[in-house]
Every structure is written in structure tokens, then in C-alpha cells.
Amino acid sequence: MKNRVNQILLAAFFLTAALYVYFLLVWIEGIPHPFYNPADPFRFYELWVYLGVGFHIVPCFLLQLLVCRVAKSPWVRLIPVFLLLGLAAWFTVGFFNATGWDNLGWGILLLLCAAPAAGYGLAWAVYGVQCFCQHINK
């Protein structure tokens, strides 16, 4: 059963990663907006913006949960977290060293690091609860 769950997590990761790339391209207007109408009372455009900014919490959650389930070493489980910390540190240094409008770009990149951090934290919490429940059942 564990192998099957890992396969489902991997397939869901690839599916949600592809969806995130689509949402991101819609958000940065790389492709035309579906359902876009300025007079729309349901404001679908705002939905696309929120999905472009925050949907990558889902693939990051699935990837971290898969890594936690498969890897035996705790250091291997921390590789995605260390990569994100490195990116966030780079973006922070760029944000404080840039001048003019470059600050906005570095700030947006730094903002885009928040959703993966939340996904990784949620995956660690789910994995911890799973290990705790397995430990109690033994």
C-alpha cells in the first residue's frame, strides 16, 4: 500500500505542477485569459491571480510529503527546505541591494517563496501526525 500511495503522490505532484505552470502563465499574461470579462460579477480574473500567486503550495506539499515518505535520512528530507531557504536568502539580498524598480521584482520573487514554505511546513506536519499515529498503533 505504501508504494501505491507514493505513486499517487508522484502523479498528483506532476499534475498540479503542470496546472501551476498554466496558472502562472495566465497570471503573467503569457497566454490569453480564459473567462476574462471586465464586467464579470464573479471576478474570475482575481481567481486566476490568486491561483498564479499561491497555487504552488499544492505541488510543494505533495513533493515534500513524498520525499518525507521515501527518504530514510532526515538530511535528505530537508533538501527541498534548504533549496527554498537558499532561494529566499538570495531574493532577500537582492531586495535589499537593488535600487529603483528592481526592488519590486525582488520583492515579488520573495513573495512567491511564501507558498512553498507553507506547503513544506504543512507536509512536515502531516508526516509528523502520520508517524505519531503509526507509533501509537504499534
PDB file of all heavy atoms in Angstrom, residues 40-63:
ATOM      1  N   ASP A  40     -17.523  41.065 -15.490  1.00  0.00           N
ATOM      2  CA  ASP A  40     -17.938  39.822 -14.852  1.00  0.00           C
ATOM      3  C   ASP A  40     -18.177  40.049 -13.355  1.00  0.00           C
ATOM      4  O   ASP A  40     -17.276  40.476 -12.642  1.00  0.00           O
ATOM      5  CB  ASP A  40     -16.866  38.759 -15.056  1.00  0.00           C
ATOM      6  CG  ASP A  40     -17.272  37.413 -14.508  1.00  0.00           C
ATOM      7  OD1 ASP A  40     -18.464  37.198 -14.259  1.00  0.00           O
ATOM      8  OD2 ASP A  40     -16.371  36.571 -14.321  1.00  0.00           O
ATOM      9  N   PRO A  41     -19.383  39.741 -12.862  1.00  0.00           N
ATOM     10  CA  PRO A  41     -19.640  39.956 -11.430  1.00  0.00           C
ATOM     11  C   PRO A  41     -18.929  38.929 -10.538  1.00  0.00           C
ATOM     12  O   PRO A  41     -18.756  39.160  -9.351  1.00  0.00           O
ATOM     13  CB  PRO A  41     -21.157  39.818 -11.313  1.00  0.00           C
ATOM     14  CG  PRO A  41     -21.547  38.973 -12.472  1.00  0.00           C
ATOM     15  CD  PRO A  41     -20.561  39.280 -13.568  1.00  0.00           C
ATOM     16  N   PHE A  42     -18.499  37.799 -11.099  1.00  0.00           N
ATOM     17  CA  PHE A  42     -17.861  36.767 -10.287  1.00  0.00           C
ATOM     18  C   PHE A  42     -16.359  36.968 -10.140  1.00  0.00           C
ATOM     19  O   PHE A  42     -15.712  36.278  -9.368  1.00  0.00           O
ATOM     20  CB  PHE A  42     -18.135  35.383 -10.879  1.00  0.00           C
ATOM     21  CG  PHE A  42     -19.589  35.043 -10.890  1.00  0.00           C
ATOM     22  CD1 PHE A  42     -20.273  34.950 -12.079  1.00  0.00           C
ATOM     23  CD2 PHE A  42     -20.276  34.846  -9.711  1.00  0.00           C
ATOM     24  CE1 PHE A  42     -21.610  34.649 -12.100  1.00  0.00           C
ATOM     25  CE2 PHE A  42     -21.622  34.543  -9.716  1.00  0.00           C
ATOM     26  CZ  PHE A  42     -22.299  34.443 -10.912  1.00  0.00           C
ATOM     27  N   ARG A  43     -15.793  37.890 -10.914  1.00  0.00           N
ATOM     28  CA  ARG A  43     -14.383  38.263 -10.835  1.00  0.00           C
ATOM     29  C   ARG A  43     -13.455  37.056 -11.009  1.00  0.00           C
ATOM     30  O   ARG A  43     -12.628  36.756 -10.154  1.00  0.00           O
ATOM     31  CB  ARG A  43     -14.082  38.957  -9.527  1.00  0.00           C
ATOM     32  CG  ARG A  43     -14.856  40.231  -9.366  1.00  0.00           C
ATOM     33  CD  ARG A  43     -14.465  40.924  -8.119  1.00  0.00           C
ATOM     34  NE  ARG A  43     -15.170  42.179  -8.037  1.00  0.00           N
ATOM     35  CZ  ARG A  43     -14.863  43.120  -7.202  1.00  0.00           C
ATOM     36  NH1 ARG A  43     -13.855  42.960  -6.385  1.00  0.00           N
ATOM     37  NH2 ARG A  43     -15.553  44.224  -7.178  1.00  0.00           N
ATOM     38  N   PHE A  44     -13.601  36.372 -12.124  1.00  0.00           N
ATOM     39  CA  PHE A  44     -12.732  35.240 -12.406  1.00  0.00           C
ATOM     40  C   PHE A  44     -11.274  35.660 -12.537  1.00  0.00           C
ATOM     41  O   PHE A  44     -10.374  34.880 -12.260  1.00  0.00           O
ATOM     42  CB  PHE A  44     -13.168  34.517 -13.680  1.00  0.00           C
ATOM     43  CG  PHE A  44     -14.267  33.535 -13.459  1.00  0.00           C
ATOM     44  CD1 PHE A  44     -15.490  33.698 -14.083  1.00  0.00           C
ATOM     45  CD2 PHE A  44     -14.084  32.445 -12.634  1.00  0.00           C
ATOM     46  CE1 PHE A  44     -16.502  32.797 -13.880  1.00  0.00           C
ATOM     47  CE2 PHE A  44     -15.090  31.533 -12.427  1.00  0.00           C
ATOM     48  CZ  PHE A  44     -16.309  31.708 -13.043  1.00  0.00           C
ATOM     49  N   TYR A  45     -11.033  36.891 -12.965  1.00  0.00           N
ATOM     50  CA  TYR A  45      -9.658  37.348 -13.114  1.00  0.00           C
ATOM     51  C   TYR A  45      -8.929  37.327 -11.767  1.00  0.00           C
ATOM     52  O   TYR A  45      -7.770  36.943 -11.691  1.00  0.00           O
ATOM     53  CB  TYR A  45      -9.620  38.753 -13.716  1.00  0.00           C
ATOM     54  CG  TYR A  45      -8.218  39.266 -13.855  1.00  0.00           C
ATOM     55  CD1 TYR A  45      -7.359  38.714 -14.794  1.00  0.00           C
ATOM     56  CD2 TYR A  45      -7.735  40.265 -13.030  1.00  0.00           C
ATOM     57  CE1 TYR A  45      -6.061  39.156 -14.917  1.00  0.00           C
ATOM     58  CE2 TYR A  45      -6.441  40.716 -13.151  1.00  0.00           C
ATOM     59  CZ  TYR A  45      -5.609  40.156 -14.092  1.00  0.00           C
ATOM     60  OH  TYR A  45      -4.316  40.587 -14.206  1.00  0.00           O
ATOM     61  N   GLU A  46      -9.609  37.728 -10.703  1.00  0.00           N
ATOM     62  CA  GLU A  46      -8.987  37.688  -9.386  1.00  0.00           C
ATOM     63  C   GLU A  46      -8.666  36.253  -8.980  1.00  0.00           C
ATOM     64  O   GLU A  46      -7.657  36.001  -8.328  1.00  0.00           O
ATOM     65  CB  GLU A  46      -9.882  38.343  -8.347  1.00  0.00           C
ATOM     66  CG  GLU A  46      -9.978  39.839  -8.510  1.00  0.00           C
ATOM     67  CD  GLU A  46     -10.871  40.474  -7.478  1.00  0.00           C
ATOM     68  OE1 GLU A  46     -11.252  39.792  -6.510  1.00  0.00           O
ATOM     69  OE2 GLU A  46     -11.191  41.657  -7.642  1.00  0.00           O
ATOM     70  N   LEU A  47      -9.509  35.322  -9.352  1.00  0.00           N
ATOM     71  CA  LEU A  47      -9.232  33.912  -9.069  1.00  0.00           C
ATOM     72  C   LEU A  47      -7.950  33.469  -9.755  1.00  0.00           C
ATOM     73  O   LEU A  47      -7.115  32.789  -9.146  1.00  0.00           O
ATOM     74  CB  LEU A  47     -10.407  33.048  -9.528  1.00  0.00           C
ATOM     75  CG  LEU A  47     -10.190  31.541  -9.445  1.00  0.00           C
ATOM     76  CD1 LEU A  47     -10.124  31.107  -7.994  1.00  0.00           C
ATOM     77  CD2 LEU A  47     -11.275  30.807 -10.187  1.00  0.00           C
ATOM     78  N   TRP A  48      -7.752  33.870 -11.014  1.00  0.00           N
ATOM     79  CA  TRP A  48      -6.537  33.497 -11.733  1.00  0.00           C
ATOM     80  C   TRP A  48      -5.311  34.117 -11.082  1.00  0.00           C
ATOM     81  O   TRP A  48      -4.248  33.509 -11.029  1.00  0.00           O
ATOM     82  CB  TRP A  48      -6.619  33.893 -13.201  1.00  0.00           C
ATOM     83  CG  TRP A  48      -7.593  33.057 -13.954  1.00  0.00           C
ATOM     84  CD1 TRP A  48      -8.800  33.453 -14.430  1.00  0.00           C
ATOM     85  CD2 TRP A  48      -7.472  31.679 -14.278  1.00  0.00           C
ATOM     86  NE1 TRP A  48      -9.435  32.409 -15.037  1.00  0.00           N
ATOM     87  CE2 TRP A  48      -8.641  31.301 -14.961  1.00  0.00           C
ATOM     88  CE3 TRP A  48      -6.494  30.714 -14.058  1.00  0.00           C
ATOM     89  CZ2 TRP A  48      -8.852  30.019 -15.425  1.00  0.00           C
ATOM     90  CZ3 TRP A  48      -6.708  29.433 -14.530  1.00  0.00           C
ATOM     91  CH2 TRP A  48      -7.873  29.096 -15.196  1.00  0.00           C
ATOM     92  N   VAL A  49      -5.437  35.336 -10.568  1.00  0.00           N
ATOM     93  CA  VAL A  49      -4.306  35.982  -9.892  1.00  0.00           C
ATOM     94  C   VAL A  49      -3.959  35.213  -8.618  1.00  0.00           C
ATOM     95  O   VAL A  49      -2.792  34.914  -8.350  1.00  0.00           O
ATOM     96  CB  VAL A  49      -4.629  37.457  -9.576  1.00  0.00           C
ATOM     97  CG1 VAL A  49      -3.585  38.061  -8.660  1.00  0.00           C
ATOM     98  CG2 VAL A  49      -4.725  38.254 -10.861  1.00  0.00           C
ATOM     99  N   TYR A  50      -4.958  34.874  -7.826  1.00  0.00           N
ATOM    100  CA  TYR A  50      -4.698  34.129  -6.592  1.00  0.00           C
ATOM    101  C   TYR A  50      -4.116  32.751  -6.882  1.00  0.00           C
ATOM    102  O   TYR A  50      -3.238  32.279  -6.156  1.00  0.00           O
ATOM    103  CB  TYR A  50      -5.965  34.002  -5.758  1.00  0.00           C
ATOM    104  CG  TYR A  50      -6.476  35.311  -5.233  1.00  0.00           C
ATOM    105  CD1 TYR A  50      -7.819  35.628  -5.271  1.00  0.00           C
ATOM    106  CD2 TYR A  50      -5.600  36.260  -4.707  1.00  0.00           C
ATOM    107  CE1 TYR A  50      -8.290  36.828  -4.797  1.00  0.00           C
ATOM    108  CE2 TYR A  50      -6.063  37.473  -4.236  1.00  0.00           C
ATOM    109  CZ  TYR A  50      -7.407  37.747  -4.273  1.00  0.00           C
ATOM    110  OH  TYR A  50      -7.858  38.939  -3.810  1.00  0.00           O
ATOM    111  N   LEU A  51      -4.603  32.102  -7.924  1.00  0.00           N
ATOM    112  CA  LEU A  51      -4.051  30.795  -8.279  1.00  0.00           C
ATOM    113  C   LEU A  51      -2.618  30.917  -8.784  1.00  0.00           C
ATOM    114  O   LEU A  51      -1.780  30.063  -8.507  1.00  0.00           O
ATOM    115  CB  LEU A  51      -4.926  30.110  -9.332  1.00  0.00           C
ATOM    116  CG  LEU A  51      -6.273  29.599  -8.833  1.00  0.00           C
ATOM    117  CD1 LEU A  51      -7.098  29.081  -9.996  1.00  0.00           C
ATOM    118  CD2 LEU A  51      -6.099  28.528  -7.787  1.00  0.00           C
ATOM    119  N   GLY A  52      -2.318  31.981  -9.519  1.00  0.00           N
ATOM    120  CA  GLY A  52      -0.956  32.188 -10.010  1.00  0.00           C
ATOM    121  C   GLY A  52       0.021  32.479  -8.896  1.00  0.00           C
ATOM    122  O   GLY A  52       1.179  32.093  -8.948  1.00  0.00           O
ATOM    123  N   VAL A  53      -0.431  33.180  -7.862  1.00  0.00           N
ATOM    124  CA  VAL A  53       0.463  33.541  -6.766  1.00  0.00           C
ATOM    125  C   VAL A  53       0.596  32.429  -5.746  1.00  0.00           C
ATOM    126  O   VAL A  53       1.686  32.191  -5.218  1.00  0.00           O
ATOM    127  CB  VAL A  53      -0.036  34.837  -6.080  1.00  0.00           C
ATOM    128  CG1 VAL A  53       0.746  35.130  -4.830  1.00  0.00           C
ATOM    129  CG2 VAL A  53       0.069  36.003  -7.037  1.00  0.00           C
ATOM    130  N   GLY A  54      -0.480  31.710  -5.454  1.00  0.00           N
ATOM    131  CA  GLY A  54      -0.430  30.790  -4.334  1.00  0.00           C
ATOM    132  C   GLY A  54      -0.683  29.330  -4.602  1.00  0.00           C
ATOM    133  O   GLY A  54      -0.608  28.522  -3.672  1.00  0.00           O
ATOM    134  N   PHE A  55      -0.958  28.947  -5.838  1.00  0.00           N
ATOM    135  CA  PHE A  55      -1.306  27.545  -6.074  1.00  0.00           C
ATOM    136  C   PHE A  55      -0.121  26.609  -5.906  1.00  0.00           C
ATOM    137  O   PHE A  55      -0.314  25.418  -5.680  1.00  0.00           O
ATOM    138  CB  PHE A  55      -1.921  27.371  -7.479  1.00  0.00           C
ATOM    139  CG  PHE A  55      -2.417  25.984  -7.741  1.00  0.00           C
ATOM    140  CD1 PHE A  55      -3.604  25.557  -7.177  1.00  0.00           C
ATOM    141  CD2 PHE A  55      -1.703  25.108  -8.526  1.00  0.00           C
ATOM    142  CE1 PHE A  55      -4.068  24.283  -7.400  1.00  0.00           C
ATOM    143  CE2 PHE A  55      -2.154  23.828  -8.771  1.00  0.00           C
ATOM    144  CZ  PHE A  55      -3.352  23.410  -8.205  1.00  0.00           C
ATOM    145  N   HIS A  56       1.098  27.106  -5.984  1.00  0.00           N
ATOM    146  CA  HIS A  56       2.241  26.201  -5.891  1.00  0.00           C
ATOM    147  C   HIS A  56       2.443  25.664  -4.483  1.00  0.00           C
ATOM    148  O   HIS A  56       3.364  24.897  -4.251  1.00  0.00           O
ATOM    149  CB  HIS A  56       3.512  26.827  -6.452  1.00  0.00           C
ATOM    150  CG  HIS A  56       3.877  28.151  -5.883  1.00  0.00           C
ATOM    151  ND1 HIS A  56       3.116  29.267  -6.061  1.00  0.00           N
ATOM    152  CD2 HIS A  56       4.937  28.532  -5.151  1.00  0.00           C
ATOM    153  CE1 HIS A  56       3.684  30.289  -5.460  1.00  0.00           C
ATOM    154  NE2 HIS A  56       4.781  29.878  -4.909  1.00  0.00           N
ATOM    155  N   ILE A  57       1.554  26.006  -3.556  1.00  0.00           N
ATOM    156  CA  ILE A  57       1.560  25.360  -2.249  1.00  0.00           C
ATOM    157  C   ILE A  57       1.230  23.868  -2.411  1.00  0.00           C
ATOM    158  O   ILE A  57       1.770  23.029  -1.696  1.00  0.00           O
ATOM    159  CB  ILE A  57       0.575  26.046  -1.279  1.00  0.00           C
ATOM    160  CG1 ILE A  57       0.765  25.534   0.146  1.00  0.00           C
ATOM    161  CG2 ILE A  57      -0.854  25.856  -1.698  1.00  0.00           C
ATOM    162  CD1 ILE A  57      -0.045  26.287   1.166  1.00  0.00           C
ATOM    163  N   VAL A  58       0.373  23.531  -3.371  1.00  0.00           N
ATOM    164  CA  VAL A  58      -0.065  22.138  -3.541  1.00  0.00           C
ATOM    165  C   VAL A  58       1.059  21.247  -4.080  1.00  0.00           C
ATOM    166  O   VAL A  58       1.362  20.214  -3.476  1.00  0.00           O
ATOM    167  CB  VAL A  58      -1.332  22.073  -4.426  1.00  0.00           C
ATOM    168  CG1 VAL A  58      -1.754  20.633  -4.649  1.00  0.00           C
ATOM    169  CG2 VAL A  58      -2.454  22.876  -3.809  1.00  0.00           C
ATOM    170  N   PRO A  59       1.728  21.590  -5.196  1.00  0.00           N
ATOM    171  CA  PRO A  59       2.816  20.710  -5.636  1.00  0.00           C
ATOM    172  C   PRO A  59       3.968  20.652  -4.633  1.00  0.00           C
ATOM    173  O   PRO A  59       4.592  19.601  -4.472  1.00  0.00           O
ATOM    174  CB  PRO A  59       3.279  21.283  -6.963  1.00  0.00           C
ATOM    175  CG  PRO A  59       2.522  22.500  -7.215  1.00  0.00           C
ATOM    176  CD  PRO A  59       1.470  22.632  -6.183  1.00  0.00           C
ATOM    177  N   CYS A  60       4.238  21.748  -3.945  1.00  0.00           N
ATOM    178  CA  CYS A  60       5.315  21.724  -2.937  1.00  0.00           C
ATOM    179  C   CYS A  60       4.944  20.828  -1.767  1.00  0.00           C
ATOM    180  O   CYS A  60       5.785  20.097  -1.235  1.00  0.00           O
ATOM    181  CB  CYS A  60       5.631  23.134  -2.458  1.00  0.00           C
ATOM    182  SG  CYS A  60       6.419  24.125  -3.721  1.00  0.00           S
ATOM    183  N   PHE A  61       3.679  20.861  -1.352  1.00  0.00           N
ATOM    184  CA  PHE A  61       3.208  19.967  -0.298  1.00  0.00           C
ATOM    185  C   PHE A  61       3.355  18.508  -0.715  1.00  0.00           C
ATOM    186  O   PHE A  61       3.862  17.677   0.042  1.00  0.00           O
ATOM    187  CB  PHE A  61       1.744  20.284   0.031  1.00  0.00           C
ATOM    188  CG  PHE A  61       1.069  19.246   0.865  1.00  0.00           C
ATOM    189  CD1 PHE A  61       1.319  19.158   2.219  1.00  0.00           C
ATOM    190  CD2 PHE A  61       0.181  18.355   0.304  1.00  0.00           C
ATOM    191  CE1 PHE A  61       0.693  18.196   2.989  1.00  0.00           C
ATOM    192  CE2 PHE A  61      -0.447  17.393   1.057  1.00  0.00           C
ATOM    193  CZ  PHE A  61      -0.192  17.309   2.418  1.00  0.00           C
ATOM    194  N   LEU A  62       2.924  18.199  -1.937  1.00  0.00           N
ATOM    195  CA  LEU A  62       2.992  16.813  -2.415  1.00  0.00           C
ATOM    196  C   LEU A  62       4.436  16.339  -2.560  1.00  0.00           C
ATOM    197  O   LEU A  62       4.765  15.201  -2.186  1.00  0.00           O
ATOM    198  CB  LEU A  62       2.250  16.687  -3.745  1.00  0.00           C
ATOM    199  CG  LEU A  62       0.741  16.902  -3.680  1.00  0.00           C
ATOM    200  CD1 LEU A  62       0.164  16.998  -5.073  1.00  0.00           C
ATOM    201  CD2 LEU A  62       0.070  15.817  -2.883  1.00  0.00           C
ATOM    202  N   LEU A  63       5.306  17.201  -3.066  1.00  0.00           N
ATOM    203  CA  LEU A  63       6.713  16.826  -3.228  1.00  0.00           C
ATOM    204  C   LEU A  63       7.376  16.580  -1.873  1.00  0.00           C
ATOM    205  O   LEU A  63       8.064  15.573  -1.684  1.00  0.00           O
ATOM    206  CB  LEU A  63       7.469  17.914  -3.990  1.00  0.00           C
ATOM    207  CG  LEU A  63       8.964  17.682  -4.159  1.00  0.00           C
ATOM    208  CD1 LEU A  63       9.206  16.488  -5.065  1.00  0.00           C
ATOM    209  CD2 LEU A  63       9.635  18.917  -4.701  1.00  0.00           C
TER     210      LEU A  63
END
